[in-house]
């Protein structure tokens, strides 16, 4: 199996003596859905943000689709990764002054030099895939939170990424809007997309994840298949977390 992301002994500190990432190592294979769980402040978001260069490293090494990152990496390496790795954040980060169609076509036109017609057709196809084709000419403020997050997913997919990163994509949504976003992510997973998902959505993790990785205090506590993790977690810290989530 081909490795898409390999992290080796990653270290990241924001304050002296406190490690947000404390020698974290993991592999993500192509086509795999890895769900990362853990309490607030455990390092989940920091970890996923290192995968596309949004967080720099203090130590360790990353290999993302054959591009290496470490504490001394250059901007050209980060750009090379971001062309191939899409990311969806907690907040939708859509440009409010641009239409939904313009939000999605901006990067393909500017970064990939796509023609406007080609970019727009791709955007319409993605909106159709997300179930919101009819929203193409509207502006972000006219859409619900769930619709905006699906636009954000479509925007990330517009560059044809090989890996998709999701940093708690449903945490800013009203409960009734969570399902529509998770359903869009399930569809991506069924299509074979390599995905790393930071989430507290237990149902999604049980249904879609190939593996669940639990973090606490900047370290990987355990990694296992969903059935083993949710029914018989090995570590007491994992079991305590799950009992609080139930």
């Amino acid at each position: 199996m081909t490795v898409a992301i390999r992290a080796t002994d990653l270290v990241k500190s924001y304050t002296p003596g406190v490690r947000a990432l404390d020698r974290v190592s993991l592999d993500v294979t192509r086509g795999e859905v890895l769900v990362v769980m853990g309490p607030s402040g455990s390092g989940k978001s920091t970890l996923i943000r290192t995968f596309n260069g949004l967080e720099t490293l203090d130590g360790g090494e990353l290999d993302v689709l054959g591009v290496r990152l470490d504490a001394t990496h250059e901007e050209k390496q980060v750009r090379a990764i971001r062309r191939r790795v899409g990311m969806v954040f907690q907040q939708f980060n859509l440009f409010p002054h641009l239409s939904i169609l313009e939000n999605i076509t901006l990067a393909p036109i500017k970064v990939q030099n796509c023609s406007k017609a080609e970019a727009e057709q791709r955007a319409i196809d993605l909106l159709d895939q997300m179930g919101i084709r009819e929203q193409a000419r509207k502006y972000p403020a006219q859409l619900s939170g769930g619709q905006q997050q699906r636009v954000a997913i479509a925007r990330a997919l517009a560059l044809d990424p090989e890996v998709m990163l999701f940093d708690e994509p449903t945490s800013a949504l009203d409960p009734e809007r969570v399902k529509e976003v998770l359903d869009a992510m399930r569809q991506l997973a069924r299509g074979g997309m390599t995905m790393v998902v930071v989430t507290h959505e237990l149902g999604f993790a049980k249904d879609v994840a190939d593996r669940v990785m639990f973090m606490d205090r900047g370290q990987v506590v355990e990694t296992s298949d969903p059935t083993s993790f949710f029914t018989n977690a090995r570590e007491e810290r994992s079991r305590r977390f799950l009992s609080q989530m139930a």
Side-chain angles (χ1 to χ4, degrees):
M1 300 177 73
T2 305
V3 175
I5 299 173
R6 171 161 288 158
T8 306
D9 292 333
L10 301 187
V11 174
K12 175 67 178 182
S13 298
Y14 295 111
T15 55
V18 180
R19 288 184 170 182
L21 298 178
D22 187 5
R23 300 181 66 84
V24 172
S25 297
L26 71 145
D27 284 354
V28 182
T29 58
R30 284 189 180 270
E32 179 181 20
V33 178
L34 174 68
V35 168
V36 183
M37 308 191 84
S40 178
S42 60
K44 309 181 302 295
S45 293
T46 300
L47 175 65
I48 200 173
R49 287 167 64 89
T50 68
F51 292 167
N52 71 345
L54 284 172
E55 294 286 355
T56 57
L57 295 171
D58 296 323
E61 186 175 272
L62 267 171
D63 185 307
V64 182
L65 300 171
V67 180
R68 297 166 78 91
L69 292 179
D70 57 25
T72 63
H73 71 258
E74 299 178 4
E75 186 61 30
K76 65 180 180 180
Q77 294 163 281
V78 173
R79 288 197 300 270
I81 288 173
R82 289 180 184 168
R83 283 194 290 268
R84 301 169 65 191
V85 177
M87 186 159 186
V88 178
F89 301 88
Q90 298 178 33
Q91 302 299 328
F92 322 124
N93 296 336
L94 301 177
F95 295 111
H97 63 291
L98 298 181
S99 71
I100 298 309
L101 196 62
E102 290 167 335
N103 265 279
I104 297 172
T105 59
L106 183 64
I109 292 172
K110 298 289 187 182
V111 176
Q112 296 180 327
N113 297 316
C114 287
S115 68
K116 183 178 179 182
E118 181 184 1
E120 287 188 349
Q121 184 56 58
R122 171 71 170 148
I124 292 296
D125 291 344
L126 287 168
L127 288 172
D128 197 28
Q129 182 181 333
M130 294 293 118
I132 48 174
R133 180 184 182 126
E134 71 282 358
Q135 309 297 339
R137 303 294 175 182
K138 293 183 180 179
Y139 287 81
Q142 296 175 282
L143 274 58
S144 70
Q147 289 172 329
Q148 289 187 62
Q149 192 62 298
R150 282 183 282 167
V151 172
I153 295 173
R155 181 177 61 181
L157 291 172
L159 291 174
D160 292 319
E162 297 169 55
V163 174
M164 283 287 288
L165 310 174
F166 295 86
D167 187 7
E168 301 197 31
T170 60
S171 65
L173 300 179
D174 294 330
E176 64 268 22
R177 299 298 182 188
V178 169
K179 182 179 182 298
E180 59 197 42
V181 172
L182 293 179
D183 284 347
M185 294 168 62
R186 286 187 174 94
Q187 184 181 1
L188 277 183
R190 286 194 296 268
M193 176 64 75
T194 306
M195 298 165 60
V196 183
V197 184
V198 173
T199 185
H200 287 115
E201 298 292 340
L202 301 186
F204 176 85
K206 291 175 183 177
D207 294 344
V208 181
D210 294 299
R211 288 186 301 152
V212 177
M213 187 174 84
F214 179 74
M215 293 185 67
D216 191 24
R217 297 182 180 179
Q219 296 181 325
V220 177
V221 176
E222 68 175 284
T223 305
S224 63
D225 66 272
T227 300
S228 298
F229 180 73
F230 289 110
T231 61
N232 191 28
R234 295 189 303 271
E235 302 296 330
E236 171 59 28
R237 182 65 189 90
S238 306
R239 294 193 292 271
R240 190 161 69 247
F241 172 81
L242 289 171
S243 69
Q244 293 168 348
M245 296 291 289

